[in-house]
Amino acid sequence: GTSEPFRAVSVVPQVNGTVVWVSDDFNVGGFFEKGETLFRINDIDYRLELQRSKAALAQAEFELERIRSQADIAREEWAIMSEGEDSEAPNPLVLYKPQLSNAEAALESAKAAVELARLNLKRTSIDAPFDCRIRSKSVDLGQYVRAGTQLAAVSSTDYAEAVVLLKQDELGWLDIPGYSGGASGSRATVTSRINGGDVTWKGRVVRMSGEV
């Protein structure tokens, strides 16, 4: 059979910017543990955006408190003016209800902007999604990159799959999850000749591709 990585994904940044740092191991064949940084994008713009969004959040909080105070005063004034009278319900604008709703919505929007700015700042560090090996790369120090552009390809190193071609009448000898009713799949031994010697791994049949 043919050995294939269990997982193979493309490394794609979610923000734009210039690459300002690259790991020494970020080369074809390099190994990384999950969470290790592959490279970093200049984060100055994203730090400034986070500061601006925090300032806007503070302003929105102040505005909400100001509207709440005005609403409290308006309710007290209306209660005094309408005391002892059989008057109609006041206009919502008089009691600052629409203004209060608008200020609350502005505060939620400002909070979301802060979270987005913080998330974009975190995205300037491109980390390994799992224990992996670099299969290819197309980025280096000083290069300007755009969000959504494939910059590298990595494959997992914790598991591998061996694709084995069998005749249809040989399938009856195997327990294949989802096909033959076997829950865990038949045990398997994978052997490869490396540097003149045989290396063996223990495995298990996990699925059938469904192709004939």
Side-chain angles (χ1 to χ4, degrees):
T2 303
S3 177
E4 297 180 351
F6 179 62
R7 288 176 291 185
V9 300
S10 299
V11 176
V12 178
Q14 294 178 279
V15 294
N16 304 327
T18 303
V19 176
V20 294
W21 182 86
V22 175
S23 170
D24 293 337
D25 295 325
F26 186 57
N27 293 293
V28 175
F31 289 90
F32 287 85
E33 294 183 357
K34 180 180 179 179
E36 278 192 275
T37 301
L38 308 179
F39 59 91
R40 294 193 185 98
I41 295 172
N42 193 328
D43 63 1
I44 293 178
D45 291 344
Y46 301 100
R47 289 184 183 277
L48 293 176
E49 182 59 33
L50 179 58
Q51 292 178 0
R52 283 194 292 266
S53 61
K54 286 182 177 180
L57 175 60
Q59 179 63 33
E61 290 173 340
F62 167 78
E63 187 66 18
L64 177 59
E65 290 304 318
R66 186 181 69 83
I67 296 296
R68 280 175 175 169
S69 297
Q70 292 178 335
D72 291 340
I73 294 173
R75 281 193 296 269
E76 292 176 0
E77 291 178 344
W78 179 263
I80 294 173
M81 293 174 59
S82 62
E83 187 175 356
E85 298 180 5
D86 187 15
S87 58
E88 297 180 356
N91 189 309
L93 285 172
V94 175
L95 300 183
Y96 283 81
K97 289 184 178 180
Q99 297 93 319
L100 189 59
S101 296
N102 184 66
E104 290 173 344
L107 178 60
E108 292 302 315
S109 178
K111 288 180 179 179
V114 170
E115 290 303 313
L116 179 60
R118 185 175 287 117
L119 181 59
N120 283 336
L121 179 59
K122 185 179 179 181
R123 286 169 173 170
T124 59
S125 178
I126 312 301
D127 303 330
F130 39 75
D131 293 348
C132 63
R133 174 178 177 269
I134 306 300
R135 303 180 69 183
S136 65
K137 67 168 231 179
S138 56
V139 63
D140 218 326
L141 188 65
Q143 183 175 340
Y144 184 85
V145 299
R146 294 187 179 278
T149 304
Q150 179 177 331
L151 302 179
V154 300
S155 57
S156 60
T157 57
D158 48 357
Y159 295 99
E161 291 186 337
V163 181
V164 181
L165 302 180
L166 297 175
K167 296 179 181 179
Q168 190 169 4
D169 56 5
E170 294 174 329
L171 297 179
W173 296 98
L174 303 176
D175 286 331
I176 305 174
Y179 176 75
S180 61
S184 58
S186 297
R187 288 179 294 178
T189 300
V190 180
T191 302
S192 179
R193 180 167 292 275
I194 300 176
N195 295 330
D198 289 337
V199 180
T200 301
W201 298 269
K202 295 298 181 181
R204 190 170 291 276
V205 175
V206 292
R207 67 180 181 276
M208 186 173 69
S209 67
E211 296 178 353
V212 177

